[in-house]
Amino acid sequence: MSKFTSSDVVHNKSENAPFSSVLEANLSRRSVVRGGIMSAVAMLSGVGLTGCLGGSNNDSGTADSDVVESIALAFESIAGSKTDACVVAAGYTASVLAPWGTPLNNTAADWKDDGTNTPTDQLNSMGMHHDGMRFFPINGSSDDGLLVVNHEYIDQSALHPNGATTDDAGNRPVDEVRKEIYAHGVAVVRIQRTNGNWQVVDSDPLNRRFTSDSVMDISGPMAGTSHLITPFSLDGTQTRGTNNNCGNGYTPWGTYLTCEENWPNIFVHDGTMTEEQERIGFRSSSRYGWETAAGDASEVDGEFARFNITPTGVDATQDYRNEGSTFGYIVEIDPFDTSRRAVKRTALGRFRHEGCWPGKLEEGQPVVFYSGDDSRFEYIYKFVSRELWNPADANPTDRLATGAKYMDDGTLYVARFDADGTGVWLPLTVNTVALDGQTLGEKFGDLSGIILNTRGAADAVGATPMDRPEWCALNPVDDKVYFTLTNNTKREEANAANPRVDNPYGHIIRWDEKADMTGFDWEIFVYGSNDSADANINRSGLTAMNEFASPDGLGFDSRGIMWIQTDNGSDVADDTNDQILAVVPSTVVDTEGKQTVITADNQEMLKRFFVGPNGCEVTGITFSPDNTAMFVNIQHPGNWPVSADATEVTPEGTTLRPRASTVVIQKADGGPIAV
């Protein structure tokens, strides 16, 4: 997530039992041994091939078959770094690829380091602040494919020659606003590896951008309802743009999923808000002031006016009161078909989606996607399709039609974590009975009303408020689901699991789904901490060689190696920049030989692999199908990159216009990463 976030504001006013109290009660059932938590049962008892999605990287999104029975990390953990350069484990290279401003076609001029590129240049170039991404191989190749990259937010001081400007009336210039709108969204860019070097394929026909101005279709329960009627779409079936695209996902049929996270910040509402609008977090001021460009002679179809959602007309056909309701969804993109618009899949809920990751995939069973709501005291969700998976749909002729089949009709659930180590998936349907005895249909109307106010519906059924749910990943070895809970500095009560008045370090939770998919068994896999913290805080016994805070990005490669990315923000940041750590959960054992969680006895299994430059967040992770290339994103660096070599240190006294970039990591000998 970006340096700017409204998650400091707590929008959840429900009295649902927070995860901290659930965790405290749960831990009272367990034994705390040497600062670590020992499971009551042996975990991950078998390691073998499964039929799951996991960390697959082939062009259909279905499982690779290279999961091995045992695997070990063959690199030494590296020390933390506080330099303007990337640092990677010995024997590896790190190269800059497709930084902000890289032209995607001949319409864009080359990137200029004085900020004078035009809006048209930006529309046809890589956007700002790379985040979640996915590599889509072309014809199964590990050397040729499409990299689809989220662009979460913008830095106005870097985007414009002298930062953002306003006139005497406080209005923003049209060219600056358009440039900012075009710097958001998603990029699809073809990349190829030749003689070990990855390059952008300039002007490839598949290169394209989706921005905060791109026309998109709306599908699912919200489509065509009165909630989405605007002057731009009188039938409520289209909108313009996707924004604040942080986490991502993919589908078994070969499409990309991008997720709208802190999107409420681009809107302004200076009137009386509805309960739903307050719950989602609209404000009386916007982050960028795009709405102030409204009324300019060059404005087209309310392109700027739409960011002011204050009712001013007789109904929704005369103002943009509903524009904000067209955001907050999972957006599906077919990277291989330039003729198709992106589609907002509303059945998966409306909130601040951090990502959308597929669960276990089995023939004849529903397709499952997990998503987190990245704010303090918000929830974890699961969508279960009505249609059952047919393997023939892995390579369809119409990928977006297949998306409609599995993503437009199903049941959205929210998680409740119970103190006995079990959990329940609570359905958000019209017939679900809320804690007050009313059905959700009685409280919110039809399904579209529930989706519009997903957070409120989750409050009503008693979901468990979590510590900022971020990324999720499925272990391809055993189908366990892992979720990062990045931090929560607003917690006001101590508990046995986290005996601090707040939680600046975060942790990773995991669970096993029950056979009927209505419940799960959960536990904490690892706690973030400063290495110098006492054992009551440093419960996983982390050392200087693997301390971390604020776990954020998360992913498994197809072999079952878990990669953890951080967004520090605590005293760990005094010791090291943001980083990537690796661990093989299936080989983590305790002193009794049981496969279990990270403790003081086995924490050396968790290794630091990569550290980013000063000021950055390390985010976004994907792999070539043969695992010989790892792609990661460096977001909001402070004074980097100085060259195509990501490890080159910016010379002291040199001031750069920083450029968010993808970094491709490879083994010097060309072999698979990490082993």
Side-chain angles (χ1 to χ4, degrees):
M1 73 170 297
S2 68
K3 290 188 291 185
F4 173 91
T5 175
S6 63
S7 59
D8 283 336
V9 180
V10 177
H11 299 289
N12 188 346
K13 307 300 182 183
S14 74
E15 297 181 356
N16 295 355
F19 186 67
S20 59
S21 60
V22 174
L23 188 54
E24 178 179 11
N26 176 269
L27 288 173
S28 69
R29 302 174 55 253
R30 307 185 184 197
S31 299
V32 179
V33 180
R34 297 181 184 177
I37 301 183
M38 311 302 289
S39 291
V41 295
M43 304 301 294
L44 303 171
S45 57
V47 180
L49 297 174
T50 66
C52 62
L53 291 177
S56 64
N57 283 284
N58 59 36
D59 56 359
S60 70
T62 52
D64 292 327
S65 59
D66 58 349
V67 179
V68 295
E69 292 189 358
S70 63
I71 193 169
L73 300 178
F75 65 89
E76 296 300 320
S77 189
I78 64 174
S81 172
K82 296 287 293 181
T83 61
D84 275 318
C86 295
V87 180
V88 68
Y92 290 84
T93 64
S95 302
V96 174
L97 178 69
W100 158 51
T102 300
L104 299 179
N105 55 54
N106 292 330
T107 302
D110 290 339
W111 182 82
K112 301 173 183 177
D113 63 7
D114 61 0
T116 58
N117 286 95
T118 68
T120 298
D121 292 336
Q122 184 58 79
L123 178 62
N124 293 279
S125 300
M126 295 295 291
M128 252 190 155
H129 292 315
H130 303 29
D131 207 303
M133 65 177 166
R134 179 86 179 164
F135 180 77
F136 290 85
I138 292 178
N139 297 322
S141 174
S142 287
D143 300 312
D144 185 12
L146 300 179
L147 195 65
V148 189
V149 182
N150 287 351
H151 300 294
E152 184 185 7
Y153 78 111
I154 60 169
D155 178 354
Q156 293 169 307
S157 63
L159 185 61
H160 307 300
N162 300 297
T165 64
T166 59
D167 63 19
D168 292 340
N171 298 323
R172 299 286 316 285
V174 167
D175 278 355
E176 285 187 10
V177 171
R178 286 198 177 117
K179 191 174 176 182
E180 292 173 12
I181 287 173
Y182 297 157
H184 281 82
V186 178
V188 180
V189 56
R190 188 169 185 176
I191 58 174
Q192 292 178 336
R193 176 165 52 183
T194 304
N195 297 323
N197 297 315
W198 287 91
Q199 299 290 334
V200 168
V201 180
D202 185 37
S203 296
D204 189 89
L206 293 174
N207 292 353
R208 62 173 169 158
R209 284 293 315 282
F210 298 85
T211 74
S212 296
D213 190 55
S214 301
V215 177
M216 298 185 175
D217 295 327
I218 299 173
S219 69
M222 298 295 292
T225 67
S226 61
H227 303 299
L228 303 190
I229 291 174
T230 68
F232 178 77
S233 180
L234 296 176
D235 63 358
T237 61
Q238 288 188 333
T239 189
R240 281 171 289 184
T242 183
N243 219 81
N244 296 95
N245 305 87
C246 188
N248 67 303
Y250 62 95
T251 69
W253 45 93
T255 59
Y256 182 74
L257 303 177
T258 188
C259 308
E260 300 174 333
E261 188 199 17
N262 285 318
W263 52 274
N265 304 319
I266 64 174
F267 296 101
V268 60
H269 192 307
D270 56 12
T272 301
M273 296 190 203
T274 65
E275 183 177 346
E276 173 273 320
Q277 288 173 328
E278 290 183 345
R279 184 68 179 83
I280 203 67
F282 289 116
R283 304 180 303 171
S284 59
S285 61
S286 66
R287 182 175 184 182
Y288 302 117
W290 292 344
E291 74 284 352
T292 67
D296 185 272
S298 69
E299 183 178 18
V300 178
D301 290 335
E303 62 178 306
F304 310 127
R306 66 192 177 104
F307 295 108
N308 188 335
I309 59 173
T310 309
T312 57
V314 174
D315 57 33
T317 67
Q318 298 183 1
D319 58 44
Y320 284 95
R321 67 185 67 184
N322 287 339
E323 184 75 10
S325 299
T326 69
F327 285 75
Y329 303 107
I330 301 300
V331 183
E332 185 177 16
I333 293 171
D334 184 345
F336 296 100
D337 190 344
T338 60
S339 70
R340 304 294 292 275
R341 290 187 291 265
V343 182
K344 298 198 175 188
R345 302 292 184 194
T346 65
L348 283 78
R350 176 176 175 264
F351 46 90
R352 299 185 188 219
H353 285 274
E354 175 66 13
C356 187
W357 294 274
K360 183 179 180 180
L361 189 69
E362 292 184 289
E363 182 176 3
Q365 297 297 316
V367 177
V368 174
F369 292 96
Y370 299 99
S371 192
D373 188 345
D374 183 13
S375 294
R376 290 170 174 84
F377 304 110
E378 294 301 340
Y379 306 121
I380 292 174
Y381 296 87
K382 176 176 76 169
F383 175 79
V384 179
S385 69
R386 181 181 65 82
E387 289 286 340
L388 304 182
W389 176 244
N390 181 350
D393 287 330
N395 293 288
T397 56
D398 188 331
R399 283 175 286 270
L400 291 180
T402 304
K405 174 181 177 180
Y406 290 107
M407 301 184 79
D408 284 349
D409 191 1
T411 302
L412 182 65
Y413 295 85
V414 66
R416 188 188 75 210
F417 291 79
D418 294 332
D420 62 356
T422 65
V424 177
W425 290 109
L426 306 167
L428 300 181
T429 64
V430 293
N431 295 321
T432 299
V433 178
L435 297 178
D436 64 3
Q438 289 186 297
T439 66
L440 293 185
E442 292 171 324
K443 296 177 72 69
F444 300 103
D446 60 11
L447 181 58
S448 68
I450 294 172
I451 295 296
L452 181 71
N453 194 359
T454 302
R455 281 182 168 181
D459 294 340
V461 298
T464 303
M466 307 294 283
D467 285 355
R468 286 187 54 201
E470 291 260 6
W471 290 46
C472 174
L474 183 81
N475 189 337
V477 173
D478 58 16
D479 301 323
K480 288 186 184 295
V481 183
Y482 289 72
F483 227 105
T484 55
L485 302 174
T486 196
N487 60 49
N488 187 350
T489 54
K490 296 296 184 181
R491 181 185 293 167
E492 296 180 352
E493 59 182 21
N495 57 76
N498 194 354
R500 302 165 285 196
V501 295
D502 60 9
N503 176 19
Y505 299 113
H507 50 277
I508 298 177
I509 192 171
R510 70 179 179 187
W511 65 81
D512 282 304
E513 290 278 1
K514 293 186 181 297
D516 62 4
M517 297 293 287
T518 63
F520 52 92
D521 297 308
W522 67 269
E523 66 179 349
I524 302 298
F525 177 65
V526 64
Y527 291 89
S529 176
N530 188 296
D531 71 306
S532 62
D534 64 54
N536 200 33
I537 294 176
N538 188 6
R539 293 178 174 270
S540 294
L542 303 182
T543 71
M545 299 303 288
N546 62 11
E547 64 176 345
F548 72 90
S550 297
D552 192 331
L554 185 70
F556 280 90
D557 63 32
S558 58
R559 303 161 298 180
I561 300 175
M562 184 168 78
W563 301 89
I564 304 166
Q565 298 174 311
T566 71
D567 189 12
N568 284 341
S570 71
D571 55 2
V572 173
D574 296 333
D575 300 329
T576 184
N577 295 335
D578 282 336
Q579 58 190 300
I580 301 175
L581 304 104
V583 64
V584 185
S586 59
T587 62
V588 173
V589 297
D590 64 29
T591 54
E592 298 177 358
K594 297 177 180 178
Q595 293 168 323
T596 183
V597 297
I598 299 291
T599 72
D601 296 317
N602 58 33
Q603 52 73 37
E604 72 278 359
M605 304 292 290
L606 179 67
K607 297 184 178 184
R608 182 182 293 122
F609 177 71
F610 175 89
V611 182
N614 292 340
C616 83
E617 174 187 345
V618 180
T619 184
I621 187 165
T622 189
F623 305 86
S624 61
D626 62 3
N627 291 301
T628 60
M630 170 193 286
F631 304 92
V632 299
N633 283 327
I634 301 299
Q635 188 184 99
H636 58 73
N639 197 29
W640 175 94
V642 69
S643 73
D645 179 359
T647 67
E648 182 175 351
V649 179
T650 304
E652 187 174 353
T654 299
T655 300
L656 303 173
R657 190 174 293 266
R659 301 176 73 184
S661 304
T662 297
V663 169
V664 56
I665 301 169
Q666 300 180 97
K667 210 171 188 177
D669 65 8
I673 299 288
V675 298

